Amino acid sequence: DIKTIVFGLRYDFEFFAVYFIGRVMRPNPQELKTALKVILASSLIVVIFGILQATVLPWDFLNKFGYTYALEWTPGSDLQSSQIVGSTRELSRIISTLSGPNQLGSYLALISGILLSIILFARKNFLKISAGIYFLIILLPLYRTYSRSAWLGLAVSLIVLLTYLIVRIFSPRKPLPKANFLPTMITIVAIVSVSIAGFAYFNSVNPSLLQEMARRGFSTSNHVEALNRGVGLIKEHPAGLGIGSAGPASQWGLGLRDSVITESWFLQIGVETGVLGIVGFVVIIISLMIKLFREIGKQKEEVFKILLLGSTLGLIALSVNALFLHSFADTATSFTLFTLLGMALGRSGLGPREATASG
């Protein structure tokens, strides 16, 4: 019906619409710097409140502001104040100012990618050090989301970044200065060290707690069941069931009973638009990543390099996250990411004479 199609179009294409709006804006370098400052300043509010949730605030603090505690969120109901892993309040997953722990995790992974790009390309050491400190601070709320997909997305983006650095440093054409490589490597080593130390500490304090967090049997079984259902539907309907027939749109358009939650954005696209739809979406995302990496090497302006690499790492993290969740539907993350993508690529695509005229 029309309602289902409208919601389907909204969820499947709204972030692409934001991307094209960003492309036609073509802001000058100073405006891009302002946009970057606004994004990082607003993210600081999210991070600070997340840290307060993880440390001093009671698990039901947000109930005083219209949130509620429920085992599962349903469309039209109040947002959950927290999610409990297993049977213990010790594993309360924080949400900060976002709509859920997984949404917070994907958002923090995006901000982490931007910070890593600042560490790599910022000319001032003060900015590099500040970004490194902020990155390490983000690890606490990111950890307390207990979002395994967000952790995995950030880990993959780090691996891609290291690979990119190694290739650029030893490239015979326009090699990256080794001075840019060192602070990023120190940050990544610090991240790994802090993560290992944190897991070792929690394991020594309460081994069963860490095991329950890692396994989360009920959550894992639900994920596997939903993924299997999505694969089965694609096999049965290789041409797709139509826009809005799966994912968050189906909850709004078809109702909770008839909705199809695949626990994967890519499988959602497959259920809606068929095998060709999945292939087309994957080609678009990979093409964007390739375009971004190519543009990084062409740019001389500091802010362009930061936004291009930060957007690339964010897109990688979000795409990995989307293998297990409907992450492209998280508007706080997808709108921020695709706005940056559009502005960075739209501006970097200008020729030197055109850029000078519009700047």
Side-chain angles (χ1 to χ4, degrees), residues 9-24:
L9 290 172
R10 177 210 153 182
Y11 280 106
D12 290 355
F13 298 104
E14 61 184 356
F15 53 90
F16 283 130
V18 170
Y19 166 77
F20 286 112
I21 291 172
R23 288 213 61 149
V24 300

Side-chain angles (χ1 to χ4, degrees), residues 158-180:
L158 286 172
I159 292 171
V160 171
L161 175 60
L162 284 175
T163 305
Y164 168 77
L165 290 173
I166 292 170
V167 170
R168 284 293 309 275
I169 285 172
F170 295 102
S171 172
R173 298 172 57 186
K174 296 182 180 180
L176 196 68
K178 290 183 173 61
N180 288 7

Side-chain angles (χ1 to χ4, degrees), residues 23-100:
R23 288 213 61 149
V24 300
M25 288 172 62
R26 293 186 173 182
N28 60 44
Q30 188 57 47
E31 290 170 336
L32 283 175
K33 289 179 182 178
T34 300
L36 191 59
K37 290 176 183 177
V38 170
I39 290 170
L40 292 177
S42 58
S43 74
L44 187 59
I45 298 172
V46 177
V47 170
I48 290 174
F49 189 66
I51 291 174
L52 291 175
Q53 276 189 317
T55 53
V56 298
L57 295 178
W59 67 270
D60 59 350
F61 174 77
L62 288 175
N63 287 4
K64 302 173 183 178
F65 302 93
Y67 290 70
T68 186
Y69 173 70
L71 292 176
E72 185 177 357
W73 178 81
T74 56
S77 63
D78 296 332
L79 290 175
Q80 294 171 279
S81 58
S82 64
Q83 289 184 12
I84 308 301
V85 178
S87 58
T88 172
R89 297 260 179 233
E90 293 179 80
L91 286 181
S92 175
R93 305 174 67 189
I94 66 170
I95 66 171
S96 187
T97 59
L98 277 71
S99 58

